Amino acid sequence: DQGKMDPPTTAQLLEFVQRNQDRIRELGLSSDAAFWEAQSTEAQLALMWSLQNLAYLDLARSHSSMIIDYDSFYAHRYERTGPLLTALGFSSVKESLAFLRSAESTGISMRKMDAGSEYYSVFRGDDFNPDKWKNELSADQVAEITAITDPVYARMQREAWSS
């Protein structure tokens, strides 16, 4: 299905767990391959997502970088635009925030601005809901996924502006 991740094959899952045993234990989870093979696809993918994002955090710490969560940034764009421009080496001036406000006062939502690329787009319509995926799964599936991903997501949010 479009927009849905393919489940890992047994070989992919076993290799993933073998290579990441220490990291899995750091999350307080079982690092036993047979345990993960018996888990649901949702739990397996949640584990993979979590470890991938922990790797991104490690990478950010080892380089001069800043982690930006698009939707969180957009929600707090007036507070975060200045620090972002400063981190990029630009001057943060009042005119930057004035530009954001004036663009939105014309009725053009910055959320609707598109990068214009056929390959990649950051377009978000007015109906964009970052939690939409939760409506497509059962409550048990959501609980299973968030039990694994929420601690990593919370860490990502804490470190988002500190790298």
Side-chain angles (χ1 to χ4, degrees):
D1 290 340
Q2 186 180 19
K4 296 187 179 177
M5 296 175 69
D6 291 328
T9 65
T10 300
Q12 289 170 330
L13 179 66
L14 296 177
E15 181 180 346
F16 179 83
V17 171
Q18 179 65 35
R19 287 186 179 195
N20 294 286
Q21 287 188 357
D22 291 341
R23 203 73 202 251
I24 295 169
R25 283 192 290 272
E26 283 177 33
L27 291 176
L29 301 170
S30 172
S31 62
D32 179 59
F35 171 82
W36 286 103
E37 191 174 7
Q39 298 304 303
S40 69
T41 298
E42 292 81 15
Q44 294 168 356
L45 292 173
L47 176 69
M48 292 175 158
W49 179 92
S50 294
L51 295 189
Q52 176 182 355
N53 282 282
L54 288 175
Y56 292 154
L57 289 174
D58 289 344
L59 186 63
R61 275 192 300 280
S62 67
H63 295 79
S64 177
S65 62
M66 177 180 281
I67 299 165
I68 300 173
D69 171 51
Y70 178 85
D71 296 305
S72 176
F73 180 87
Y74 181 80
H76 304 282
R77 61 196 171 279
Y78 300 115
E79 299 87 12
R80 293 186 175 170
T81 296
L84 175 61
L85 290 172
T86 301
L88 294 172
F90 298 110
S91 299
S92 175
V93 293
K94 292 178 188 175
E95 288 81 9
S96 301
L97 294 178
F99 170 77
L100 286 176
R101 287 190 175 93
S102 69
E104 291 182 356
S105 70
T106 62
I108 302 170
S109 170
M110 297 303 277
R111 190 177 280 256
K112 289 184 179 179
M113 296 265 191
D114 195 354
S117 168
E118 291 181 26
Y119 176 72
Y120 180 77
S121 173
V122 293
F123 175 77
R124 301 287 198 261
D126 287 335
D127 62 342
F128 178 73
N129 176 2
D131 291 327
K132 181 180 177 185
W133 66 272
K134 293 178 182 179
N135 299 332
E136 298 180 18
L137 301 172
S138 71
D140 289 342
Q141 289 172 313
V142 170
E144 184 177 38
I145 292 167
T146 57
I148 297 168
T149 60
D150 277 0
V152 174
Y153 187 71
R155 182 172 163 190
M156 291 168 64
Q157 293 298 300
R158 281 191 309 274
E159 295 184 27
W161 293 91
S162 62
S163 296

